[in-house]
Amino acid sequence: MLKVILYVTFSAGGLILLKIGTVNEFGLNISGGVFQLKINYYLIFGILLYALSFMTSLSAMKSMNLSLFYPISAGLIYVCVCFFSYFILKESISVIQFIGMIITLFGIIIMNVRS
């Protein structure tokens, strides 16, 4: 389960950094056959963190059933991204999103109950 937590943290953190990086000094232009890309440190670190999350996910998938890994990690990433977006990016969370986060967390808890 530690691998899943690492994957979720790296993935959500990478997404937040990518979002910050696209807002700050990001540009992509194709003009006259010339390709120009302007990136910043947030984008670079976001890409690296997201790549690290991919490598961590491979290791996590190897050690657990995909039918558990994917729904649990996807749900936790959703909740973490909403949480980070609210506190770091100052985005708003609607009542419906909040209810969805609670339902998602209950679903994750239910999936982890051992019979």
Side-chain angles (χ1 to χ4, degrees), residues 24-45:
N24 298 318
E25 300 178 25
F26 171 70
L28 177 62
N29 295 319
I30 301 173
S31 177
V34 177
F35 177 78
Q36 294 178 332
L37 178 64
K38 185 178 180 183
I39 61 174
N40 54 56
Y41 289 111
Y42 290 111
L43 280 173
I44 293 169
F45 289 127

Side-chain angles (χ1 to χ4, degrees), residues 110-115:
I110 291 168
M111 289 185 73
N112 279 301
V113 173
R114 308 257 186 236
S115 302

Side-chain angles (χ1 to χ4, degrees), residues 4-39:
V4 173
I5 293 169
L6 287 173
Y7 165 63
V8 167
T9 304
F10 293 153
S11 184
L15 287 169
I16 295 299
L17 288 173
L18 289 171
K19 171 67 175 180
I20 293 169
T22 58
V23 173
N24 298 318
E25 300 178 25
F26 171 70
L28 177 62
N29 295 319
I30 301 173
S31 177
V34 177
F35 177 78
Q36 294 178 332
L37 178 64
K38 185 178 180 183
I39 61 174

Side-chain angles (χ1 to χ4, degrees), residues 19-78:
K19 171 67 175 180
I20 293 169
T22 58
V23 173
N24 298 318
E25 300 178 25
F26 171 70
L28 177 62
N29 295 319
I30 301 173
S31 177
V34 177
F35 177 78
Q36 294 178 332
L37 178 64
K38 185 178 180 183
I39 61 174
N40 54 56
Y41 289 111
Y42 290 111
L43 280 173
I44 293 169
F45 289 127
I47 291 167
L48 291 175
L49 203 55
Y50 209 66
L52 184 59
S53 79
F54 175 73
M55 298 305 290
T56 307
S57 74
L58 294 178
S59 178
M61 279 190 275
K62 182 179 179 182
S63 62
M64 65 187 297
N65 292 337
L66 185 61
S67 61
L68 283 175
F69 168 76
Y70 184 74
I72 290 170
S73 62
L76 288 174
I77 289 169
Y78 167 73

